[in-house]
Amino acid sequence: MSIFAALSVAEMFGISGMGMLIVFSALVFLMFLIYALSAIIAWAESRGNGPAAVTAGATAGASLVPANGSAGEVALGNVDEATAAMLMAIVADDMKLPLNRLRFISIRQVD
């Protein structure tokens, strides 16, 4: 004989209602946890501790944090490496982006 055979219909609805209440309360808890974490992250970024502060600092004239990585090889056409590096740095500064976010395919001198 099953354990549920001894329960009435009202008791079964009560047990299933209690299960749904537990599940939905856990979902509401997770929702508030996500809201709290997003508020903490937004607060940290507004204080200058996050990625949004780096972008905002670039527009305000502050220096950017150097980024790691490379975007590939550059073909130099009749341009020495020092001049090419200077041109890449000028373009990155004008665009307010770290140098590794830009991809230079070739640099050549135009007469």
Side-chain angles (χ1 to χ4, degrees), residues 1-45:
M1 190 174 252
S2 173
I3 189 171
F4 295 111
L7 296 176
S8 68
V9 174
E11 289 172 331
M12 287 184 196
F13 278 122
I15 291 172
S16 63
M18 184 64 70
M20 286 192 284
L21 181 67
I22 291 170
V23 168
F24 283 116
S25 61
L27 289 174
V28 168
F29 172 75
L30 288 175
M31 179 184 71
F32 284 123
L33 182 68
I34 290 171
Y35 280 134
L37 288 176
S38 65
I40 290 170
I41 290 171
W43 175 76
E45 287 179 349

Side-chain angles (χ1 to χ4, degrees), residues 17-108:
M18 184 64 70
M20 286 192 284
L21 181 67
I22 291 170
V23 168
F24 283 116
S25 61
L27 289 174
V28 168
F29 172 75
L30 288 175
M31 179 184 71
F32 284 123
L33 182 68
I34 290 171
Y35 280 134
L37 288 176
S38 65
I40 290 170
I41 290 171
W43 175 76
E45 287 179 349
S46 70
R47 292 197 46 159
N49 297 333
V54 172
T55 307
T59 58
S63 64
L64 290 174
V65 176
N68 298 327
S70 172
E73 298 290 323
V74 177
L76 300 179
N78 199 19
V79 177
D80 61 312
E81 290 184 8
T83 304
M86 189 181 311
L87 288 171
M88 290 189 283
I90 290 169
V91 170
D93 186 55
D94 284 346
M95 295 183 73
K96 307 285 190 244
L97 289 171
L99 192 56
N100 72 335
R101 298 275 313 268
L102 300 175
R103 181 170 182 224
F104 294 92
I105 297 172
S106 67
I107 298 175
R108 60 185 172 91

